[in-house]
Amino acid sequence: MKKSTILFIFLFCLVTTSIGYAGTYVTEELKDEHGNTWVLNGLWEEVDGQRVFYPSPPTGQVWVDTSRFETGTQIIEKTEYITVRDTIYTPTATLRQAAVGNHEMIMTLNNPNYFNIKVNVYIKSLSPDSEVRNEYMEQEVNDLVLSPGTMELTFDSVKRHEGFTNYEIILRVTENLHPDVHPDYEQVRELGSWYPDVPLYIEFLYPEVTLNTNNSSSEGSFGTDWTFRNPNTIDFEYKLEIDDARGRKTLETGTIAPGQTISGSEIAIPSKDSTNTQFFIGTFDHTKSAPSIKESQDSFTFIIASAGISLSSNKSDVGMQTRTESESTGCRYGPDNHSVTYTWFGASYTVSSSVSNNSNIPISVTVNVGPSSASYNLAPNGSTTGPSTSDTTENDVTIDGDTRWHTHTDSDSETISVTGWKKTAEESFSCNPPPPDPDDN
C-alpha cells in the first residue's frame, strides 16, 4: 500500500484530456493537507499534467497529488519549458504467423499518436509445446521506440506442432518522446494495453514427396527413386512407407531438419501379373494426433502388358512348272490353232518381325516367327527387330508369329499369296486371207 500526500477537493467540473492504464485499480492510503488519512480504492489518471486519484465507487470527489503539481510548477517557472499536454493514446498489437510453415510469428504494433513513444513489449505463451526451450516461454523487448504508424516484431511462436495456441500480451508505455514535452511529463506511468488471451493458429506445410521410375533397362535393377523434403522452418519427426502389390512396409523413421531432403530407392517390380500402382508415403509427426499429423504421398504405376509383335513380308515370283496347250487362233480361214505356254508362279518370300515392349518395365521376351525363334531383353517401352523366316512356296501360305513373357502373349500372322498360272509364251501365227471369189475366174 502506497502513501501519498494529496490535496482533497470537490469536483464540480472537469474539462481536460486524460490518459491512464485502463483497468488498473489500486488501494491507496491518502493524506490531506491537515494530516488526515483515508484508505480508498480507485484509479490514478493524469489531468493537465497533474496526477489525479478517482475513488471507486465514485464519491463526487477527487484527490490531486499537490507535491508533483508544485514541483512541476517550479520547474516550469525556472526553465520556461513549453509543456505539451496532448493525450497519449495507447498502442495496440495484433498477432499473425510469419508464414505457413514458419514457426515464428509477427506482432504488428500500432502507435496511434502523431509523435514517438517508448514502450516495453511482453509476450507469454499460454500453451507452449514441450520441445521448446524455456527461454522462449516469455519474450520481451524493452525501451522500444515506436514511431507513428505500425512496426513489426518477430517472436518465436513456441509451437512445434500444428494447432491453436494462446498468448498474453502486455504493452507498457514508458516514455513520451514528443520533441516539445516538458521533462516532468516524459516519464509515463500506468499506460498501456493488456491482452490476456490472444488465440493464434500455427500451421505447418505438408512434406514434399516424389516417386519416379529409375529408368533402368535391366529387370534386376529396375525400381523407383523417391525423395522426401521438409519445407518448414523446424525439425519434424517423420516416417517413410512404401505401399504396393506386396503390401505396406516402413522404409525408415527419424528426424528431418528444416529444408532437408532425404532420397532413396526401392529396387523391385511388385507384380508382373497385371498393372499395379506403388505409393510412397511420407508423414510428419506420425506419433501425434490430428491436426499435427501431416501426410503426403506420390505414386508410380507399373504398366504390365503383352509384348506386341508385327509381321511384314516381301516376295518375288518363282516359276514352278509349265504346260503347253493348243488354243484356237480365232482365224476364219486358218490356221485354226497355235501353241500357248503357261507357267505356274509360286513365291520366294521373307517374313520379318518387329517387337515392342508395351510395359513400362524391362522384360525378357521370347519371339517365334514360323520356324525361327529368338529371345530379347527389352527396356521399358523399348522395341527391336525380331526374328525372320525365308522360304519358297508353290501355293499360298500363312506364317504365324507370337511373343511370350511371364504369362503374357501376343500374336500376328502374314499370308503369302502366289500368282499361279500365267501365260509366258505362245506360237506366233498369221491368219490366212480369204479364198478368191469364184466369179473372178
Side-chain angles (χ1 to χ4, degrees):
M1 183 179 301
K2 298 184 295 182
K3 294 184 179 181
S4 302
T5 301
I6 62 172
L7 176 64
F8 172 64
I9 64 173
F10 288 97
L11 178 65
F12 297 101
C13 181
L14 189 63
V15 183
T16 63
T17 57
S18 63
I19 57 176
Y21 188 65
T24 305
Y25 288 88
V26 296
T27 300
E28 296 280 11
E29 181 177 324
L30 306 173
K31 181 184 296 184
D32 65 12
E33 58 185 348
H34 302 296
N36 301 315
T37 60
W38 288 265
V39 177
L40 298 173
N41 184 55
L43 176 70
W44 283 103
E45 293 191 4
E46 290 196 18
V47 179
D48 288 341
Q50 304 174 45
R51 293 184 70 236
V52 178
F53 187 80
Y54 292 86
S56 178
T59 62
Q61 303 162 345
V62 296
W63 300 74
V64 179
D65 187 343
T66 57
S67 61
R68 179 176 176 184
F69 175 72
E70 291 170 358
T71 302
T73 303
Q74 293 171 2
I75 294 175
I76 292 173
E77 292 175 352
K78 181 177 180 180
T79 62
E80 297 181 352
Y81 283 117
I82 299 174
T83 302
V84 175
R85 296 176 178 174
D86 287 351
T87 299
I88 301 180
Y89 294 98
T90 58
T92 59
T94 59
L95 281 183
R96 62 178 172 84
Q97 188 177 5
V100 175
N102 194 325
H103 69 287
E104 295 180 325
M105 58 186 176
I106 303 297
M107 179 186 293
T108 301
L109 300 171
N110 178 49
N111 175 11
N113 300 286
Y114 68 91
F115 49 87
N116 293 355
I117 58 175
K118 185 177 288 186
V119 300
N120 292 341
V121 179
Y122 169 88
I123 183 168
K124 177 182 179 181
S125 174
L126 303 179
S127 51
D129 284 335
S130 59
E131 297 93 330
V132 185
R133 299 196 304 270
N134 288 335
E135 63 190 84
Y136 293 119
M137 302 303 178
E138 299 180 62
Q139 303 169 76
E140 57 185 332
V141 178
N142 293 320
D143 297 326
L144 177 67
V145 176
L146 286 184
S147 300
T150 60
M151 172 186 287
E152 291 186 345
L153 298 178
T154 301
F155 293 99
D156 194 299
S157 68
V158 204
K159 287 291 290 180
R160 297 300 181 265
H161 310 285
E162 179 160 331
F164 274 106
T165 186
N166 300 77
Y167 304 91
E168 177 188 11
I169 300 173
I170 299 176
L171 308 179
R172 295 186 183 276
V173 181
T174 61
E175 195 170 337
N176 182 343
L177 299 180
H178 193 293
D180 296 327
V181 72
H182 189 282
D184 269 5
Y185 307 108
E186 288 181 1
Q187 300 303 314
V188 180
R189 291 186 293 273
E190 300 190 12
L191 176 65
S193 302
W194 176 44
Y195 302 88
D197 191 357
V198 179
L200 184 65
Y201 191 85
I202 300 298
E203 182 178 1
F204 291 105
L205 295 169
Y206 283 81
E208 297 174 357
V209 299
T210 65
L211 183 68
N212 296 291
T213 172
N214 64 7
N215 290 313
S216 174
S217 59
S218 169
E219 183 176 346
S221 60
F222 184 82
T224 49
D225 293 332
W226 51 261
T227 64
F228 176 74
R229 180 178 179 273
N230 177 11
N232 298 286
T233 61
I234 59 171
D235 294 350
F236 270 101
E237 291 185 350
Y238 72 89
K239 179 170 70 171
L240 305 181
E241 299 172 284
I242 285 287
D243 189 1
D244 56 29
R246 301 166 298 173
R248 186 162 180 157
K249 70 175 182 177
T250 298
L251 298 178
E252 61 180 80
T253 59
T255 300
I256 185 170
Q260 182 183 358
T261 297
I262 300 172
S263 59
S265 298
E266 181 68 9
I267 306 303
I269 299 173
S271 173
K272 299 177 184 178
D273 294 337
S274 60
T275 296
N276 58 97
T277 300
Q278 182 179 85
F279 296 91
F280 173 62
I281 305 152
T283 308
F284 286 154
D285 274 351
H286 59 283
T287 61
K288 307 296 181 182
S289 58
S292 296
I293 296 176
K294 294 283 189 178
E295 181 181 287
S296 298
Q297 66 178 30
D298 196 10
S299 63
F300 176 76
T301 298
F302 295 83
I303 298 174
I304 308 299
S306 301
I309 183 171
S310 177
L311 300 182
S312 61
S313 64
N314 57 71
K315 66 176 183 175
S316 59
D317 287 343
V318 176
M320 307 297 289
Q321 56 180 305
T322 61
R323 75 172 190 266
T324 300
E325 295 182 3
S326 178
E327 296 183 357
S328 172
T329 62
C331 293
R332 183 176 181 181
Y333 302 103
D336 294 330
N337 298 298
H338 74 301
S339 296
V340 179
T341 300
Y342 290 91
T343 301
W344 178 268
F345 286 97
S348 175
Y349 66 86
T350 297
V351 175
S352 303
S353 66
S354 62
V355 183
S356 59
N357 180 5
N358 296 321
S359 303
N360 62 356
I361 65 171
I363 63 172
S364 296
V365 58
T366 299
V367 186
N368 300 302
V369 177
S372 302
S373 180
S375 295
Y376 304 92
N377 294 319
L378 295 182
N381 302 116
S383 62
T384 187
T385 298
S388 61
T389 183
S390 299
D391 203 354
T392 300
T393 181
E394 188 173 349
N395 300 299
D396 292 350
V397 64
T398 297
I399 305 300
D400 295 317
D402 64 76
T403 63
R404 175 178 292 275
W405 79 274
H406 193 51
T407 60
H408 310 288
T409 60
D410 190 31
S411 62
D412 192 19
S413 63
E414 183 77 0
T415 297
I416 307 299
S417 298
V418 300
T419 302
W421 291 111
K422 182 178 180 181
K423 183 189 293 185
T424 54
E426 63 180 316
E427 181 184 5
S428 61
F429 64 91
S430 296
C431 290
N432 296 326
D437 190 335
D439 293 339
D440 292 342
N441 295 324

